[in-house]
Amino acid sequence: MPKFTVDADWLDFLPSPSRPNFTLPAGTVDAHCHVFGPGDQFPFVPERKYTPCDAGKDTLFELRDRLGVSRNVIVQATCHGADNSAMVDALHSSHGRARGVATVRPDVSRAQLAAMHDAGVRAVRFNYVPRLVDPQPDEYYHRIVEKITPLGWHIVIYFEATDLANRWKFFTSLDAVVVVDHMGRPDVSQPLDGEEFELFLRLIREHDNFWVKTTCPERLTRSGPPTYDDVVPFARRVIEEFPDRVLWGTDWPHPNLKFHMPDDGALVDFIPFIATTEALQYKLLVDNPTRLYWEGEKW
Ligand code: 0GY
């Protein structure tokens, strides 16, 4: 008997995604993906808000090769809380082809941080989405920042667009590189030049330590797959205005989607619609993530 029962409304990732038509440049980094368990080996934490299907490192590495991706950045998923062992195990198995983004608590020890650094962790994630984690005060995050600063790590933040104004002061006080997940989760039914997305663009424009993941059309869209037409103008805008501070990723295995499961091949075929020249594609897929996660190394 498996230790965990998957949520009744859970959508599994596609077992055989299509091979993309768009050929990714050599050195492409999938800068946002996760591993889940397997739960029998790496148990999900009691405080989790969802119980996913297993999606282990071997399946992730198969997907990497199928899509033509060269490297991965594996982001600790909230179902594993601050137990980073599944993610770190995947880093160890990647032969240097994966970096990690951890979740830590303020009482994390320097020895634990050093071990994660050696494994390839280069950032922590602060998650402000209440359906995924319980809220914490700024002080909690400040204590983490103090501990990771000596390692030169950056900070990944995940929040809802409606929350940005409230969190602005704290976010802009961070003295490190800050990477925003999924373009700050815009409501793509609102105008591109509307107040909400303008505030987000202002954040990136006025703070050159901020980077953006142009990820998750499948999570943001209302018009639907496979072309995600309503997301295109938002992602293009970000890529064209901040070409040196954007990242791309699959978000495999796509947690908590309720309406459709994307075909990962189609997510790759989406790239030329948002990064419309070879030069922009190279920055988005290779140059920027390599600079951020494999500093000093060339693909
Ligand atoms: C994502 C998005 C989600 C989940 C998580 O760590 C997570 O559990 O990030 C979500 O449900 O929106 O980035 O994978």
Side-chain angles (χ1 to χ4, degrees):
M1 267 286 280
K3 269 195 205 150
F4 295 95
T5 306
V6 178
D7 288 345
D9 62 349
W10 187 262
L11 294 184
D12 288 0
F13 59 88
L14 295 192
S16 307
S18 64
R19 284 186 196 278
N21 295 314
F22 177 65
T23 305
L24 292 168
T28 289
V29 178
D30 174 351
H32 189 97
C33 52
H34 310 281
V35 286
F36 298 152
D40 285 352
Q41 195 185 346
F42 298 107
F44 304 118
V45 291
E47 71 271 22
R48 70 190 178 281
K49 307 272 188 189
Y50 62 87
T51 305
C53 65
D54 285 334
K57 60 185 177 185
D58 296 335
T59 319
L60 174 64
F61 297 152
E62 271 167 36
L63 178 77
R64 175 195 68 195
D65 296 344
R66 186 177 183 87
L67 298 180
V69 163
S70 302
R71 291 163 160 174
N72 298 102
V73 179
I74 306 176
V75 178
Q76 172 74 355
T78 56
C79 55
H80 281 296
D83 175 359
N84 293 280
S85 48
M87 183 268 289
V88 165
D89 175 70
L91 300 187
H92 282 304
S93 303
S94 76
H95 306 292
R97 291 176 65 183
R99 295 289 196 235
V101 176
T103 297
V104 300
R105 298 204 184 96
D107 64 359
V108 65
S109 72
R110 304 224 183 257
Q112 286 169 321
L113 290 172
M116 283 195 272
H117 189 87
D118 287 347
V121 172
R122 294 291 179 270
V124 286
R125 191 186 199 199
F126 295 167
N127 194 321
Y128 293 93
V129 177
R131 72 183 160 76
L132 294 171
V133 286
D134 293 330
Q136 300 291 346
D138 291 350
E139 170 57 19
Y140 178 98
Y141 295 111
H142 278 305
R143 287 168 58 206
I144 295 172
V145 172
E146 267 171 34
K147 289 197 173 165
I148 62 150
T149 302
L151 293 159
W153 288 8
H154 64 266
I155 299 160
V156 174
I157 53 176
Y158 188 24
F159 58 90
E160 302 283 0
T162 46
D163 217 12
L164 176 57
N166 288 336
R167 308 231 172 251
W168 183 277
K169 196 162 167 224
F170 174 70
F171 288 167
T172 58
S173 74
L174 292 168
D175 185 18
V177 168
V178 180
V179 180
V180 181
D181 278 342
H182 317 332
M183 298 189 286
R185 287 193 64 105
D187 173 352
V188 298
S189 66
Q190 291 189 18
L192 184 63
D193 59 359
E195 223 175 273
E196 188 187 273
F197 199 57
E198 256 314 310
L199 185 69
F200 176 72
L201 292 174
R202 218 185 96 204
L203 177 74
I204 312 303
R205 199 178 290 138
E206 292 179 2
H207 303 91
D208 62 9
N209 57 323
F210 275 67
W211 293 48
V212 186
K213 287 187 204 162
T214 55
T215 36
C216 283
E218 73 285 4
R219 206 173 278 290
L220 303 175
T221 189
R222 309 249 173 138
S223 62
T227 51
Y228 306 112
D229 296 327
D230 51 354
V231 182
V232 170
F234 288 81
R236 274 185 72 162
R237 180 67 196 274
V238 171
I239 290 169
E240 285 167 13
E241 187 168 349
F242 312 107
D244 297 311
R245 293 186 277 144
V246 285
L247 303 169
W248 170 85
T250 57
D251 195 31
W252 185 89
H254 313 291
N256 303 309
L257 292 181
K258 300 294 176 217
F259 303 107
H260 81 284
M261 182 50 57
D263 174 351
D264 298 279
L267 292 179
V268 170
D269 287 339
F270 180 68
I271 294 169
F273 293 93
I274 60 170
T276 53
T277 67
E278 265 184 44
L280 287 174
Q281 289 160 10
Y282 192 78
K283 283 173 187 264
L284 175 71
L285 299 168
V286 185
D287 203 26
N288 297 342
T290 306
R291 198 155 30 92
L292 191 58
Y293 287 96
W294 281 269
E295 46 170 350
E297 286 182 43
K298 291 253 174 262
W299 169 249

